[in-house]
């Protein structure tokens, strides 16, 4: 599982200009089953996406394709973790530690 933390590197007017394409990119990530949750940070200086079911190389490729990245208005910090405990509604994402 991955936490994808976006940090804006441009003024909000440039973020907002790229937002429709970013939202379409998010929708495709949800449709493919890669994204579990996403949203803006508060204060609005970036966002967070929770991704699962893919490996790090795929996550890195996916984030490189984000229209925000292509427009040069954000950077990503990718944190991989093993979700050994989940809420019951997210049980399908629970993982075992590697042996």
């Amino acid at each position: 599982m991955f936490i994808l933390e976006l940090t804006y590197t441009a003024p909000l007017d440039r973020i907002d200009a790229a937002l429709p394409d970013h939202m379409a990119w998010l929708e495709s990530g949800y449709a493919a089953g890669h994204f579990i949750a996403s949203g803006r940070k508060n204060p609005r200086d970036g966002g967070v996406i929770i991704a699962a079911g893919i490996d790090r190389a795929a996550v890195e490729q996916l984030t490189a394709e984000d229209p925000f990245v292509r427009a040069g208005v954000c950077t990503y910090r990718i944190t991989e973790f093993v979700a050994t405990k989940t809420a019951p509604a997210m049980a399908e994402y629970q993982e075992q530690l590697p042996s």
Side-chain angles (χ1 to χ4, degrees), residues 7-77:
T7 300
Y8 297 152
T9 59
L12 288 179
D13 62 327
R14 289 194 49 213
I15 300 298
D16 289 339
L19 190 57
D21 290 338
H22 173 73
M23 295 303 292
W25 172 84
L26 277 173
E27 286 301 323
S28 69
Y30 279 105
H34 302 317
F35 299 155
I36 298 170
S38 61
R40 292 178 178 173
K41 291 193 286 187
N42 187 13
R44 190 178 173 204
D45 60 2
V48 174
I49 302 168
I50 301 174
I54 50 180
D55 63 24
R56 186 173 191 95
V59 167
E60 289 173 355
Q61 178 64 39
L62 196 59
T63 58
E65 296 168 356
D66 182 347
F68 276 176
V69 171
R70 292 184 178 206
V73 300
C74 91
T75 59
Y76 271 91
R77 177 177 178 220

Side-chain angles (χ1 to χ4, degrees), residues 78-93:
I78 300 171
T79 304
E80 185 173 1
F81 73 103
V82 179
T84 56
K85 182 89 172 153
T86 64
M90 294 185 62
E92 69 182 279
Y93 299 105

